[in-house]
Amino acid sequence: QVQLVESGGGLVQAGGSLRLACAASGRTFSRYLLGWFRQAPGKEREFVAAISWSGGWISYAASVKGRFTISRDNAKDTVYLQLNSLKPEDTALYYCAATTSSSSHDYRDYNYWGQGTQVTVSS
């Protein structure tokens, strides 16, 4: 089992920045691919970014590429998502998730989920 707890969400104006963090506990954190997903009201959960255990594989959704940066610190069992140049359409509940897959953009491949942290971007 892996337990994930997100933090860092909040209300920010368009163009602003936030840094989300996801702290993990339980099984060896470094063996998991970590991903961030988001879900806005009335919409499906969508992939945002993911990073392999070594950091050698990183992937972003087209909608956030160049604005968001994912990173991880295996010594601290924490994965981060830096959100820059935020837009109102980035408003959503952001989830951290973990999978033993080597690479995946599909939320169905992720076995462990946090409770989510709300990001709200005002125009």
Side-chain angles (χ1 to χ4, degrees):
Q1 286 282 354
V2 175
Q3 291 79 42
L4 303 170
V5 179
E6 303 95 335
S7 62
L11 173 63
V12 63
Q13 289 188 331
S17 298
L18 285 172
R19 188 191 195 203
L20 308 184
C22 174
S25 61
R27 288 189 176 180
T28 307
F29 172 79
S30 62
R31 296 181 181 178
Y32 289 86
L33 179 76
L34 275 296
W36 286 95
F37 292 78
R38 66 186 182 185
Q39 188 166 18
K43 295 188 177 181
E44 291 190 356
R45 189 167 300 190
E46 65 172 347
F47 172 79
V48 176
I51 185 169
S52 65
W53 71 271
S54 67
W57 181 84
I58 293 176
S59 183
Y60 296 98
S63 59
V64 307
K65 198 168 187 179
R67 301 188 297 121
F68 292 8
T69 303
I70 190 170
S71 61
R72 66 190 290 169
D73 185 338
N74 289 339
K76 295 183 178 180
D77 290 347
T78 302
V79 62
Y80 303 96
L81 187 68
Q82 178 68 40
L83 290 66
N84 295 330
S85 303
L86 281 161
K87 305 175 181 180
E89 52 264 42
D90 294 318
T91 295
L93 189 60
Y94 283 70
Y95 295 94
C96 173
T99 178
T100 53
S101 297
S102 58
S103 62
S104 176
H105 304 98
D106 190 338
Y107 71 90
R108 293 168 293 185
D109 290 333
Y110 288 74
N111 311 98
Y112 305 102
W113 292 84
Q115 82 289 349
T117 186
Q118 180 67 38
V119 171
T120 302
V121 184
S122 63
S123 57

